[in-house]
Amino acid sequence: MLQATEKEDISPSSDDTKLKKDWSSVKDIRQESKTFGTRLLENKEDVWRHNAWDHVDWDEEQEEAAKQKVSLQSNNPMALEEQQKYLKNPSEFWNTFYKHNENKFFKDRQWLKVEFPELHNTTNIDSGNKKIFEIGCGAGNTMFPLLAINKNSNLFIYACDFAENAVQVVKNNKEYNPNHCKAFVWDLTNKHIPIEYIEPNSLDIVVLIFVMSALSPNDWNQAVDNVYKMLKPGGLVLFRDYGRYDMVQLRFKEGRMLSDNFYVRGDGTRVYFFTSDEIEKIWGSKFSIEQNAIDRRLIVNRHRKLQMYRIWLQGKFRKLPNL
């Protein structure tokens, strides 16, 4: 299902990729140390000095206000009869999105090198045979930046999306080279892996960036099973997605909730907002959790005097052998 999710909440102005990152701004929830990030808001009077602040915790009043907002949404969900069109064929709405927008939502994720250096390491001239699979490729937001810097003749990148129009956008890109990459239509929630392209136990890295949030919670287990089947023993999942009470969640109006923390945007695409505990539960049965981190950032529009609280979750999950 998903695979066109790189709207990254539709509005380009609110996408974290617009903020260049020279340091990691995430904190693993299992670590006590607070020595992450380099821009910490220690005095609230300084808030307008920068465009972004790392790991800004909420006070009790903000937390309670967020819970009340979500409770109101929950008490006024989308009508059951209306929900069916969004649950039955979600790829239809992503196809429409890319039909109208084509490659306008291509994002050069400059933060990848900071948060996921494992990806950039595969592009080194001496890295050997490496296979990466970008699931939910959208316009090729991970694949093309990697190919642009690649020095490894033995690196091959697969990319899929369940929206046919998204895959066509990728193939129409002038940087698309079948000798080094392959894009195709596939649904992560399919009961079968794309064996015609990818053999079981063959991938070194699977990239899931703003992908799982577009899936129905009922499909999470199937998605995890498919990723497990395709990765080599010791292979790595690189994950980033929306966190609970992110600004985007709190902006939803009544009548947009499908089920708890699962919503429909105005254009018909879907989005879920996770907790770190849910991530542990979803991936922990088959993978070693090497990172389960949260990125809490305060984005500041100094001109308009706006403060926007963003919450993203990030993880690295290693495939356990012989399960």
Side-chain angles (χ1 to χ4, degrees):
M1 197 179 300
L2 167 61
Q3 286 73 266
T5 58
E6 182 46 32
K7 273 197 282 192
E8 256 157 272
D9 78 31
I10 305 302
S11 171
S13 62
S14 59
D15 179 9
D16 63 330
T17 59
K18 279 200 172 268
L19 297 168
K20 293 185 178 181
K21 296 174 66 174
D22 297 319
W23 60 86
S24 175
S25 57
V26 306
K27 179 192 177 186
D28 197 303
I29 63 169
R30 301 165 298 176
Q31 297 176 355
E32 294 297 327
S33 172
K34 293 188 177 182
T35 58
F36 58 95
T38 61
R39 189 172 292 161
L40 304 180
L41 182 61
E42 297 178 351
N43 186 340
K44 291 185 177 181
E45 295 181 359
D46 294 333
V47 67
W48 306 112
R49 292 182 57 190
H50 298 288
N51 291 329
W53 298 91
D54 295 331
H55 204 73
V56 178
D57 288 316
W58 288 0
D59 57 31
E60 292 183 5
E61 184 178 347
Q62 287 174 300
E63 186 85 14
E64 184 59 31
K67 291 179 179 179
Q68 290 181 7
K69 176 65 176 178
V70 172
S71 177
L72 183 62
Q73 296 166 344
S74 180
N75 290 334
N76 297 274
M78 180 176 289
L80 290 176
E81 57 272 18
E82 187 180 358
Q83 289 188 23
Q84 295 310 306
K85 64 179 178 180
Y86 302 109
L87 297 173
K88 186 176 181 181
N89 190 17
S91 63
E92 172 186 342
F93 297 99
W94 286 103
N95 258 323
T96 300
F97 172 80
Y98 278 99
K99 179 180 179 180
H100 294 315
N101 293 282
E102 295 183 352
N103 63 349
K104 294 177 184 177
F105 277 87
F106 175 79
K107 303 177 188 297
D108 186 349
R109 293 166 167 161
Q110 299 178 16
W111 51 268
L112 285 175
K113 186 175 182 179
V114 174
E115 300 294 357
F116 298 141
E118 298 87 351
L119 284 174
H120 280 248
N121 291 343
T122 66
T123 68
N124 296 334
I125 193 170
D126 58 351
S127 291
N129 292 319
K130 297 295 179 182
K131 293 182 178 180
I132 297 173
F133 189 12
E134 181 185 8
I135 300 178
C137 63
N141 303 294
T142 296
M143 181 174 74
F144 288 125
L146 286 178
L147 291 175
I149 63 170
N150 182 43
K151 297 179 181 179
N152 180 7
S153 60
N154 294 312
L155 172 65
F156 196 89
I157 304 178
Y158 300 94
C160 82
D161 207 288
F162 77 165
E164 185 175 353
N165 288 336
V167 173
Q168 197 58 50
V169 167
V170 171
K171 290 183 174 181
N172 290 342
N173 191 307
K174 64 180 181 180
E175 302 301 325
Y176 184 79
N177 183 347
N179 292 323
H180 298 289
C181 60
K182 175 67 179 179
F184 55 92
V185 177
W186 182 65
D187 183 343
L188 177 57
T189 67
N190 196 300
K191 295 189 182 299
H192 304 283
I193 66 173
I195 193 69
E196 63 271 34
Y197 304 113
I198 298 175
E199 297 180 356
N201 303 302
S202 65
L203 298 175
D204 295 282
I205 296 176
V206 168
V207 180
L208 292 171
I209 298 178
F210 298 99
V211 172
M212 293 291 286
S213 56
L215 305 183
S216 168
N218 295 330
D219 292 320
W220 292 343
N221 288 340
Q222 183 64 57
V224 172
D225 285 346
N226 286 337
V227 171
Y228 184 87
K229 290 175 183 176
M230 292 184 289
L231 275 173
K232 295 177 179 178
L236 189 65
V237 178
L238 300 177
F239 168 91
R240 189 171 173 92
D241 223 314
Y242 293 106
R244 187 71 47 83
Y245 305 141
D246 178 67
M247 175 188 74
V248 176
Q249 180 178 16
L250 301 183
R251 283 183 171 180
F252 276 104
K253 297 180 179 179
E254 298 175 24
R256 306 308 299 176
M257 181 182 281
L258 293 169
S259 58
D260 288 348
N261 304 297
F262 191 38
Y263 301 80
V264 175
R265 298 184 178 97
D267 62 2
T269 60
R270 311 177 311 185
V271 59
Y272 186 91
F273 297 86
F274 294 96
T275 66
S276 298
D277 287 343
E278 286 175 331
I279 298 306
E280 184 87 27
K281 182 178 180 180
I282 292 167
W283 293 96
S285 62
K286 291 191 173 183
F287 292 81
S288 172
I289 308 296
E290 294 191 353
Q291 182 190 68
N292 187 3
I294 187 166
D295 187 351
R296 302 181 69 107
R297 306 194 84 198
L298 173 58
I299 312 299
V300 177
N301 185 319
R302 289 183 281 181
H303 177 70
R304 298 175 61 192
K305 296 296 181 182
L306 294 177
Q307 298 182 35
M308 297 164 283
Y309 290 87
R310 304 309 313 270
I311 304 174
W312 298 285
L313 302 186
Q314 184 170 299
K316 299 179 183 181
F317 318 131
R318 185 80 61 182
K319 176 177 176 176
L320 297 171
N322 303 323
L323 282 184

